Amino acid sequence: MDVLQAMRVFAAVARAESFTEGARRLNISTRVASATVKQLEQRLETQFLNRTTRSVKLTGAGQAYLERAERLLSEFDELESTLLEQQSKLAGAIRVSAPTAFGAMHLAPALADFMQEHPDVQIDLDLSDRRVAIVEEGFDLVIRVGRLMDSALMYKRLMNMRFVLCASPDYLAAHGSPKHPQALSAHECLVNSGLHDPYRWRFSDHQQDFEVRVNGRFHANAPLPVALLAERGLGIAQLPEYIIRESLASGRLVRLFAEYERVGLGVYALYPHNRHLTARTQALIRTLLTHWSEAPLDTTHSSPPSE
C-alpha cells in the first residue's frame, strides 16, 4: 500500500469526522477512503477511528498518529514544493475558502489569472458565509473580510475594503435623509448578520472612530440580499463598495455620509501558524496582493488586528 497516500486519506477523514466528506476533499470515493483507512489500521494493528453510522471519532492512538502524520505530510509537501519551485514550475492542489459574494465577484478573476500562469495547479474553491474551521476542514487558505478573531492563525492583509452607507431614493423620499450617523437608530436598517458585531456600525469623524447601534426587520448572513432590499427601498444598509458600485453609479442607491466613512476594513488571507505554506500557496498570495493592490503590503502576522 502507498503509506503516504494512506496517511493523507486518514488525515482528511479524521479532520472531517466523516468518510464521505474526507473522500470529497481528496476527490476519491467513500469506498476507497474507508478501505484505505482500514488497511492502514490493519498494517499498524491499531484502531484509529471509532465508527458510527453518522460520524467517526479519533481514538487516543488515532489522535497521536494524526498529529505526527500531519507533520510528516507537511514536511513532504514542503520538500516537493521546494523542488518544484527550483524548477520554476508549480503543481498540486490548493483548497481555498472565501465569502460567497466576495469569492464570486472579486476572488474568482484573481484565481483565473493565477491558473493561467500556473497550468499544473488545481484550485478547490469553497464559497461560504460561515466562519470555516481552517485546520479541521482541510483548507490551505481562507479569505476573510473584516475583524479577525482567530488568534492561532497567521494572516496577510491583502487589501482594504471601504464600507458604504446607502439607501434608495424611494426610501429617503418616504422617510427622510438622516442628518448624522447617530440618527440611524431611528431608521429601518438592513443588517448583514455575517459580520462580526453586525448591529454596531462604525464611522469616523477624522478625529476618532465611533459606533452607532442599529436594528431593523431584515437580517441576512451575506451582503447581496441586503443590497437587493436596499434597492427596493426597504431600509438603509452599510455594504462593501464593490457590491453596490454599479447601483451607486446608476442612481438606484444613494451614498450617505461619505465624510464619515472609515478608511476601510481589511481583506485577509489566513493560514495555520504551524503549517508550512507550500510554494504554490505562497505564489497564490503574491498573485492576490498584485491583483488587488498597486502597493502590496508587507503584512504577515500571527495575531489578529483590531478593526
Side-chain angles (χ1 to χ4, degrees):
M1 65 180 298
D2 184 337
V3 177
L4 192 66
Q5 177 61 13
M7 290 169 60
R8 203 177 296 279
V9 172
F10 164 69
V13 170
R15 286 302 181 188
E17 295 186 350
S18 164
F19 281 101
T20 301
E21 176 60 19
R24 188 193 68 79
R25 293 176 184 178
L26 295 177
N27 197 29
I28 61 177
S29 71
T30 303
R31 181 184 60 80
V32 169
S34 179
T36 300
V37 173
K38 185 175 181 179
Q39 289 175 4
L40 183 64
E41 290 176 320
Q42 290 174 342
R43 180 177 185 273
L44 298 175
E45 299 182 351
T46 305
Q47 183 177 349
F48 291 149
L49 298 171
N50 288 320
R51 299 155 172 83
T52 69
T53 56
R54 293 187 176 182
S55 66
V56 294
K57 298 292 184 180
L58 286 166
T59 63
Q63 182 63 50
Y65 188 81
L66 176 64
E67 292 173 2
R68 297 291 297 273
E70 287 186 324
R71 286 199 293 270
L72 289 172
L73 290 170
S74 178
E75 291 175 2
F76 178 80
D77 289 340
E78 178 180 358
L79 174 61
E80 273 202 331
S81 64
T82 300
L83 292 174
L84 288 169
E85 188 173 32
Q86 291 173 350
Q87 298 169 12
S88 299
K89 181 179 181 180
L90 299 179
I94 308 175
R95 192 159 189 259
V96 184
S97 174
T100 304
F102 183 84
M105 300 174 66
H106 236 51
L107 178 60
L111 294 179
D113 290 347
F114 179 77
M115 295 184 73
Q116 287 175 336
E117 183 178 356
H118 304 288
D120 294 319
V121 174
Q122 301 91 46
I123 300 290
D124 179 3
L125 176 61
D126 183 276
L127 298 181
S128 174
D129 292 309
R130 65 183 177 85
R131 297 181 74 85
V132 301
I134 297 180
V135 174
E136 290 78 1
E137 298 185 49
F139 289 106
D140 299 297
L141 202 65
V142 169
I143 307 299
R144 284 190 185 152
V145 179
R147 297 185 68 184
L148 301 183
M149 306 301 292
D150 305 271
S151 61
L153 299 175
M154 298 288 290
Y155 68 89
K156 286 180 179 290
R157 189 173 186 129
L158 300 174
M159 64 182 290
N160 293 324
M161 180 183 297
R162 188 173 292 276
F163 271 62
V164 174
L165 196 76
C166 61
S168 73
D170 289 344
Y171 177 88
L172 297 176
H175 302 277
S177 181
K179 304 303 182 184
H180 187 274
Q182 295 290 356
L184 291 172
S185 58
H187 279 263
E188 182 73 19
C189 293
L190 307 168
V191 177
N192 178 3
S193 59
L195 295 176
H196 174 75
D197 203 0
Y199 303 100
R200 294 185 185 275
W201 291 359
R202 295 167 175 83
F203 301 91
S204 174
D205 64 1
H206 304 294
Q207 294 182 356
Q208 63 180 2
D209 293 345
F210 64 95
E211 298 178 343
V212 177
R213 186 164 183 83
V214 302
N215 212 333
R217 294 184 299 139
F218 183 76
H219 316 89
N221 69 343
L224 284 177
V226 175
L228 176 62
L229 267 71
E231 288 188 12
R232 295 285 295 272
L234 292 173
I236 297 175
Q238 191 176 53
L239 291 161
E241 187 177 27
Y242 77 93
I243 291 283
I244 55 173
R245 190 171 295 137
E246 292 184 4
S247 300
L248 292 171
S250 68
R252 298 193 302 274
L253 289 173
V254 176
R255 194 174 199 149
L256 304 174
F257 304 135
E259 68 274 23
Y260 290 103
E261 288 175 4
R262 299 174 71 212
V263 173
L265 294 178
V267 177
Y268 302 93
L270 288 80
Y271 53 93
H273 74 279
N274 59 350
R275 179 183 298 174
H276 170 77
L277 274 183
T278 62
R280 57 185 178 271
T281 304
Q282 295 180 49
L284 175 56
I285 292 174
R286 289 194 296 270
T287 295
L288 297 180
L289 283 166
T290 301
H291 192 90
W292 292 333
S293 175
E294 294 181 357
L297 302 171
D298 182 13
T299 50
T300 301
H301 306 276
S302 60
S303 60
S306 175
E307 289 294 350

